[in-house]
Amino acid sequence: MDVQQKLTILADSAKYDAACTSSGAQRSGGRGMGNTVMAGCCHSFSEDGRCISLLKVLMTNHCVYDCKYCVNRRSNDVPRAAFTPEELAELTIQFYRRNYIEGLFLSSGVFRSPDYTTEQMIATLELLRRKYNFWGYIHAKAIPNTSQDLIYKLGLLADRISVNIEFPSEQSLNLLAPNKSRKAILAPMGQITQGIKSGTRDLALYRNAPRFASAGQSTQMIIGASPESDYHIIKLSAGLYDKYQLKRVFYSAYIPKVQDALLPAAGGEPPLLREHRLYQADWLLRKYGFAPDEILSEETPNFNPFMDPKCNWAVNNMQLFPIDVNTAPKAQLLRVPGIGPTSAARIVTARRTGRLSTDDLKRMGVVLKRARYFIAAKDQPTGYKYTKEGVIRSLIDPSVFSFGTEQLSLFTPSKPAIGASSVIEAAEEAILCLKATI
Amino acid sequence: MSKSNNLAQAADVLYVYDGSLAGFYSCVFHSIYSKTLPVDICPEEALQPSLYPAIYIATEQDKAERVRRSIPQKIAAEALPLVETVFLSCLEHKELHLLEFLLMGYAQGARVLKMLGDPLVSKIYAAQQHLLGEKQLLLGFIRFSDYGGALAAVITPKNFVLPFLAGHFISRLSGENFLIFDKTHKAALVYQDRTAEIIPIETLELPEASNEECEYRAMWKSFYKTISIQARYNPKCRRTHMPKRYWENMTEFN
């Protein structure tokens, strides 16, 4: 089998991994080939609109495990292949020189044993770092049940390491991934957290201390294959950010490909709208100072499909608004729907030169479509006059309907799908429904 | 109009200059010392027949240098890179807007940089953002081909981004020889034997791609196709992140 065929098989079986970011590490070049930039860099976007930053492949898609949801499970009849470390290192270098990629994302099926598989991955990374003197970005997957010293070695070679938590709860994990245990996943995650911490500490003491996964750790979980609520999931993420200092948690909408009584029927749509809402909530946790209990609660455990979580929070807390852009602290500006970290920073800068009007805000690039209902400015000292229906019409997230109306039923599994034949009808129904609840 | 006009009276004249940064600074010098604000400032290459009388402003290095030094002194240190970045942008009438911005800066001092809601200042920042945004995309979207060991790429940007791309690629590919040809602005960044320069160049003839080069292109194309998930097909999202005008120079679309 030639490298081209291997690449096709091993990219095809790696593509369901969500993470492709190359962020978190700043390293200048000059020593050999390559550098990394803090913000990461997207090199292309595939037809599904996802960023292609890294050469995302598996070392091999042979696997001794039989996880029910996974395309690479032992019992699935698919073509199998394995890269040799030499082939993969050479391919990475040639793609990198041509600026196709920012580096390598290396995961693997479990071939023979977790340790053997990880040794193959380490061999590849050692070739890249030592023989080719390659200093571009490397993201490596830690395979559960790998011995500690191999995980440590992997972390010294990679910029980022991740262990997939796979499912939002232990019950689902036991049911759908019988060969992996919660403990086997959390053990390397904890080890990596410790490794990163002591690496940073050593670096403060000795300039040449080895760098362990300097771009940090991430994880991902599959959404929609198991019954956990959105509230459960964001509580879990908040816990992971807190306890393991993860850089990112990725959510991957389950794509039903397998027929199994324990899983959603094969051929169904992946819950993309729900995944979208989870990412929005995730940003609120990481960048906007929200606590999970402000976003959802035991009483309302799932997202409002029609509004993004920040709008939803704002319309349920109208008593806090309008806030005056000329005086409000930055943390409060960040709570306004439509104002993000960039806009908030610009407002704080510009208001030192004089009181700001809504026209000033527009020229500064603040998008007022949603924000106008929540702010007061020089020309609108008591805020914008609005009707309930007007607010809802502007706040309703247009992307809801581009995901297709059938997705809306995912949010209320007990009720049948919203009985709408067209997108416009669905929107009108949603507006009526929201007006009643606010 | 902004508060710049107390330094210069609007006059029905057109400045023509050689298109260089020093030439532009010479125009600023002339405007201030003659107390006139021209209707426009045009590089001689792009000069169109006009109703207004044109004055040719000769480039004078010492005057240009005085203007350049005055920017950090009289406005703010951050104003200089802002002005010199926007000078390379594709903002229409950028020379006139920059002149107005400088006059405003001389009058207002450092606070001009914080007046983000001002019509003129916001335009200047938007032009800078446009250039830096295009540069950021190109850091990823540039595609090199290997021609006998040397790498070559073609770009067609709206802004003159080559000076902003140089550092990144020199650091990244420090051991290689490479060339990036900007077809729009007819210039190339040439990096050879560890030294880099930007030179004017009309056209670039590239040799036939070798077999090996074709193989890597084919592998990249098949990777690109394979990595997309059918059940998530979303061409609109792809276009938002990667506007179609970049596709013409990208291996995966050729």
Side-chain angles (χ1 to χ4, degrees), chain A residues 11 24 34 47 96 145 161 177 236 267 270 326 333 360 369 378 395 413:
Chain A
E47 273 188 327
Y96 190 83
N145 295 318
I161 299 207
L236 174 64
N326 288 298
L333 290 172
D360 289 322
K369 180 173 173 267
K378 188 175 158 194
L395 296 188

Side-chain angles (χ1 to χ4, degrees), chain A residues 77-238:
Chain A
D77 184 21
V78 289
R80 306 278 172 172
F83 279 122
T84 65
E86 290 75 18
E87 285 168 343
L88 185 51
E90 179 68 23
L91 184 65
T92 305
I93 291 294
Q94 292 301 339
F95 273 17
Y96 190 83
R97 287 178 73 220
R98 290 168 173 78
N99 208 41
Y100 297 166
I101 53 169
E102 196 64 14
L104 178 65
F105 177 110
L106 186 55
S107 180
S108 187
V110 181
F111 185 52
R112 289 192 211 166
S113 70
D115 276 0
Y116 180 81
T117 309
T118 305
E119 278 164 6
Q120 292 291 300
M121 293 166 70
I122 289 173
T124 309
L125 303 195
E126 272 184 336
L127 274 178
L128 279 170
R129 295 290 198 219
R130 311 257 150 79
K131 182 179 159 203
Y132 289 96
N133 212 357
F134 172 75
W135 296 100
Y137 198 90
I138 296 178
H139 179 151
K141 280 273 164 205
I143 314 255
N145 295 318
T146 302
S147 65
Q148 286 204 7
D149 52 320
L150 289 178
I151 299 265
Y152 183 70
K153 252 178 137 170
L154 194 65
L156 291 180
L157 293 160
D159 291 288
R160 175 167 284 183
I161 299 207
S162 58
V163 196
N164 285 354
I165 196 157
E166 309 290 12
F167 288 100
S169 74
E170 187 162 11
Q171 295 91 301
S172 301
L173 186 71
N174 291 341
L175 205 58
L176 298 169
N179 303 98
K180 295 179 185 169
S181 73
R182 185 87 164 168
K183 216 176 123 223
I185 290 168
L186 294 182
M189 199 180 266
Q191 192 203 335
I192 295 163
T193 310
Q194 280 312 315
I196 294 169
K197 262 193 201 156
S198 57
T200 319
R201 194 184 52 225
D202 290 350
L203 205 65
L205 297 175
Y206 337 99
R207 197 164 62 92
N208 293 321
R211 302 295 322 257
F212 184 88
S214 58
Q217 176 175 206
S218 66
T219 191
Q220 76 159 352
M221 57 180 104
I222 296 164
I223 300 307
S226 52
E228 294 81 11
S229 71
D230 296 328
Y231 179 58
H232 176 98
I233 294 169
I234 61 167
K235 285 284 261 195
L236 174 64
S237 299

Side-chain angles (χ1 to χ4, degrees), chain A residues 4 15 29 33-35 43-45 47-48 94 96-99 102 275 350 352-353 363-364, chain B residues 111 114 116-117 139-140 142-144 146 171-172 176 213 216 222 224 226 228-229 232 234 238 252:
Chain A
Q4 161 105 49
K15 69 183 174 191
M33 178 182 289
N35 57 7
H43 283 256
S44 194
F45 289 85
E47 273 188 327
D48 52 18
Q94 292 301 339
Y96 190 83
R97 287 178 73 220
R98 290 168 173 78
N99 208 41
E102 196 64 14
E275 180 196 275
R352 287 190 224 147
T353 65
R363 280 190 294 263
M364 287 157 56
Chain B
R111 74 192 285 276
K114 298 196 172 101
L116 306 180
L139 291 183
I142 281 185
R143 294 287 176 267
F144 287 105
D146 181 307
S171 142
R172 171 159 295 196
E176 306 262 354
E213 174 60 27
Y216 282 112
S222 86
Y224 178 79
T226 309
S228 172
I229 297 175
R232 305 181 63 114
N234 192 346
R238 171 171 68 173
E252 50 271 46

